[in-house]
Amino acid sequence: MRYADLHLHTYHSDGTRSPREVIDLARERGITIVAISDHDNVAAYFEIKPYANERGVTLISAAELSCIVDGHDVHILAYAFDAADERLEQRLRQFRATRERRGAQMVEKLRALGYPIERRRVEQLAAGGALGRPHVARALVEAGHAGSVSDAFDKLLGSGKPAFVDKERFRVDEAVALVRSVGGVTSIAHPTLYPNHEELVPRLLDAGVDAVEVFHPKVDAEWSERYANVARFRGKFVTGGSDDHGAAKEIETLGTVRVPESLLGPILERL
Ligand code: AMP
Ligand code: FE
Ligand code: FE
Ligand code: ZN
């Protein structure tokens, strides 16, 4: 039996690991099916596909898409799509461009609030990938304006905090249709993190999302079982992953979630 981790971030979004490091570490921890699901970015897939093949790791194309549903932020994971299809890439490129403008706006706000950081440093930390609040947070920590990344979120960057700038998001039906049009499937990321999740999860499945991420460090065993049943009842499937961001988060989670390949038919059959 092989095991999968289908939720991982690299420095192409707000993780700190390189794609190669992710492949090596996953293998070391007994995981040989990997999906790197960077926010708004598929670059890791192209970068590391040949290496993954060489190392006997099945790499699945993936991305984590920020969507809006009734004013709530919902993350939708996309899997096993044709990564070379320009329709998805074009849309993601737009999101990455607006993320860069938003980064500059946050830097301006922080300067006005008395927490000066260099825009160039934030861009360096993002390294050409999807620029996000974690990069701004790391620059704040480096400059001594915050004790940690989570301190920076609590104090300045979290939703509603003084340096917060909202970002553009997908409508969930647009995300689902786009991913489907390029041959992929979708899953509701970390379902229990949304305030209205009990009502939301069944509704999103009925609206066309294909799966629920029931294995995730922040989804406890009870909810995991419950949502696995909700999915099964509707003829949908389940996914899972560690949501590892390397050192960008207080805890590194790679290896803590192992999904048996037998659950992943609808993804594996698309490869
Ligand atoms: P963004 O997409 O730029 O709005 O940034 C959201 C990302 O920030 C999430 O994907 C998480 O990785 C990270 N994040 C959100 N809240 C926190 C927090 N309180 N502490 C640390 N990281 C966070
Ligand atoms: Fe993230
Ligand atoms: Fe997420
Ligand atoms: Zn994630």
Side-chain angles (χ1 to χ4, degrees):
M1 172 70 78
R2 300 170 73 202
Y3 292 93
D5 184 336
L6 302 183
H7 193 158
L8 293 156
H9 295 271
T10 71
Y11 58 39
H12 290 293
S13 64
D14 55 0
T16 55
R17 300 187 203 283
S18 68
R20 192 182 176 117
E21 209 184 331
V22 165
I23 298 295
D24 290 344
L25 213 54
R27 258 182 103 244
E28 242 171 65
R29 298 182 181 174
I31 292 160
T32 56
I33 301 171
V34 166
I36 296 179
S37 56
D38 278 311
H39 301 284
D40 298 339
N41 202 349
V42 191
Y45 179 79
F46 294 107
E47 184 181 317
I48 211 65
K49 184 67 174 156
Y51 181 73
N53 285 344
E54 214 175 274
R55 310 299 290 174
V57 170
T58 303
L59 187 70
I60 296 161
S61 59
E64 186 172 13
L65 309 176
S66 302
C67 299
I68 186 124
V69 184
D70 304 334
H72 292 288
D73 212 349
V74 175
H75 289 176
I76 296 288
L77 294 156
Y79 292 118
F81 46 82
D82 176 4
D85 194 309
E86 271 295 307
R87 281 173 294 175
L88 180 61
E89 181 50 28
Q90 248 172 36
R91 194 74 174 98
L92 297 186
R93 204 179 297 129
Q94 286 171 3
F95 280 108
R96 293 197 298 271
T98 61
R99 278 173 168 280
E100 270 183 41
R101 290 196 286 277
R102 171 196 186 220
Q105 288 166 1
M106 286 190 280
V107 169
E108 275 319 302
K109 276 195 163 186
L110 286 164
R111 186 178 306 281
L113 288 161
Y115 302 98
I117 52 171
E118 291 296 325
R119 174 174 172 181
R120 223 188 35 221
R121 182 57 189 147
V122 175
E123 282 167 1
Q124 264 172 5
L125 288 168
L131 193 156
R133 284 178 287 162
H135 302 111
V136 179
R138 281 158 62 197
L140 282 165
V141 173
E142 281 182 2
H145 298 314
S148 65
V149 165
S150 52
D151 179 42
F153 271 88
D154 289 347
K155 196 161 75 173
L156 294 163
L157 299 172
S159 174
K161 299 295 156 83
F164 175 73
V165 178
D166 210 354
K167 71 177 176 209
E168 195 194 347
R169 295 184 187 80
F170 272 108
R171 286 203 336 268
V172 84
D173 52 340
E174 185 203 352
V176 167
L178 182 57
V179 172
R180 193 165 287 169
S181 77
V182 297
V185 291
T186 49
S187 182
I188 305 166
H190 38 66
T192 52
L193 294 194
Y194 316 118
N196 55 336
H197 63 86
E198 277 198 77
E199 174 270 323
L200 185 76
V201 169
R203 184 154 57 94
L204 288 178
L205 291 174
D206 292 339
V209 179
D210 302 295
V212 187
E213 186 181 50
V214 302
F215 305 108
H216 184 281
K218 298 218 164 130
V219 177
D220 70 24
E222 214 169 298
W223 280 113
S224 173
E225 200 190 325
R226 179 123 161 235
Y227 282 139
N229 288 329
V230 168
R232 202 170 302 125
F233 181 73
R234 288 172 168 74
K236 308 282 176 158
F237 67 106
V238 298
T239 66
S242 65
D243 209 355
D244 180 83
H245 284 68
K249 294 261 168 103
E250 257 91 281
I251 34 169
E252 301 188 11
T253 50
L254 209 169
T256 62
V257 174
R258 295 149 53 90
V259 186
E261 68 170 331
S262 56
L263 296 179
L264 303 176
I267 289 179
L268 297 176
E269 77 194 11
R270 285 183 155 74
L271 303 184

